[in-house]
Amino acid sequence: MVNIAEVTAAPSPDLLTPDNCAVLFVDHQPQMFFGTGSSDRTAIINSTVGMAKAAKAFDVPVVLSTVAAESFSGPIMPQLAEVFPEQKIIDRTTMNAWEDLSFVEAVKATGRKKLVIAGLWTEVCVVLPVLSAIAQGYEVYVVADASGGVTPQAHEHAIQRMVQSGATPVTWVQVLLELQRDWARAETYGAVMDVVKEHAGAYGLGVVYAQAVIGSHAAG
C-alpha cells in the first residue's frame, strides 16, 4: 500500500550510483572472443569499451581480470586496457574469478556492495563469479551486451540462470544513464555525451544532430 504522505521526490536505493557500485571486466581476451558466437563480436567490443568509459566518467572503481593470459587466452583487449592505463590486471588460472584470492581481494577493496559485471563467456566466466558473489551477499548486475557466450542459447540460458539466482540483467547504456540520471549534472554531462556519441550508435548520432541544430546545450 502506498502512503501518500510519505511519497517524496527521491530515487530508489536500488538504483546504481557512482558511490555504490564497482564494475568488473572478466576475460575480454582474444581467445575468448574467437569462441564467442552469441552475437556480433564487434558489437560486444563496442559495448565493453562503452561500459568502461562510463565507469571512468563517473570515477567508479573497476577490476580488470584475465584467465591464462600468457599460456592460452592472450592479453586483455587493448581498447579496454587503454581506458585504464594504470589499472593492474589480475590474471588467474581459475575459470571462476571468485575462486581467485587476488580477484576477490580487489573487489573487497572497492568497498562497494553492488557489482556490475561483464565478461566472456557468459556461461562460464560470468555466471560462476556472479553466482558466487550473490551467495556472499552482493547485489549483481550483468551487462548482457558487453558479455558473450559460445552460442546464443548458451548466453541466454546463462542470463536466465543468473536472473533466477537474483542477478539483474542490464545494458551498458542503461548503466551509463542510470549513473547520470539528471541532465543538470554538469560535472559529468560532457563526458557522458562524449561516450554516447562515440559508442551509442544511432543514439549518439541523434546527440550529434541535436547539438548541431539546437546547440551544444541540447540534453541527451
Side-chain angles (χ1 to χ4, degrees):
M1 294 287 292
V2 175
N3 184 341
I4 300 298
E6 295 182 355
V7 174
T8 61
S12 165
D14 290 335
L15 296 180
L16 296 169
T17 73
D19 299 320
N20 70 12
C21 69
V23 181
L24 318 180
F25 294 94
V26 182
D27 304 349
H28 291 93
Q29 300 166 260
Q31 189 64 248
M32 307 307 292
F33 272 108
F34 296 159
T36 298
S38 57
S39 61
D40 180 72
R41 287 173 287 189
T42 300
I44 297 173
I45 292 171
N46 177 71
S47 296
T48 302
V49 179
M51 184 67 256
K53 291 181 178 179
K56 186 170 185 178
F58 290 93
D59 198 26
V60 173
V62 302
V63 176
L64 307 179
S65 187
T66 55
V67 62
E70 296 184 3
S71 61
F72 182 73
S73 301
I76 197 167
M77 61 185 237
Q79 301 96 316
L80 181 53
E82 287 170 7
V83 179
F84 307 106
E86 305 301 320
Q87 184 81 19
K88 177 183 177 181
I89 300 170
I90 300 168
D91 192 46
R92 320 176 319 275
T93 62
T94 62
M95 287 181 279
N96 180 7
W98 211 264
E99 295 180 47
D100 182 89
L101 179 60
S102 295
F103 181 88
V104 173
E105 289 299 319
V107 174
K108 290 168 60 178
T110 69
R112 307 300 171 85
K113 297 180 180 179
K114 295 179 185 287
L115 305 180
V116 179
I117 301 181
L120 304 177
W121 298 318
T122 320
E123 66 271 28
V124 183
C125 299
V126 177
V127 71
L128 300 181
V130 164
L131 297 185
S132 300
I134 290 173
Q136 295 191 22
Y138 283 91
E139 296 178 37
V140 182
Y141 301 77
V142 180
V143 190
D145 55 353
S147 303
V150 173
T151 65
Q153 293 85 356
H155 176 77
E156 290 303 322
H157 292 169
I159 294 291
Q160 291 174 14
R161 183 181 180 189
M162 290 184 282
V163 169
Q164 290 171 357
S165 296
T168 301
V170 293
T171 64
W172 79 267
V173 171
Q174 177 183 350
V175 175
L176 172 71
L177 299 185
E178 192 164 325
L179 293 174
Q180 177 68 22
R181 275 209 337 270
D182 186 342
W183 294 122
R185 291 177 176 163
E187 65 273 16
T188 50
Y189 175 81
V192 168
M193 288 296 96
D194 287 344
V195 176
V196 166
K197 286 187 284 188
E198 187 173 1
H199 295 285
Y203 172 28
L205 286 177
V207 171
V208 171
Y209 173 82
Q211 292 183 342
V213 175
I214 302 173
S216 59
H217 61 283

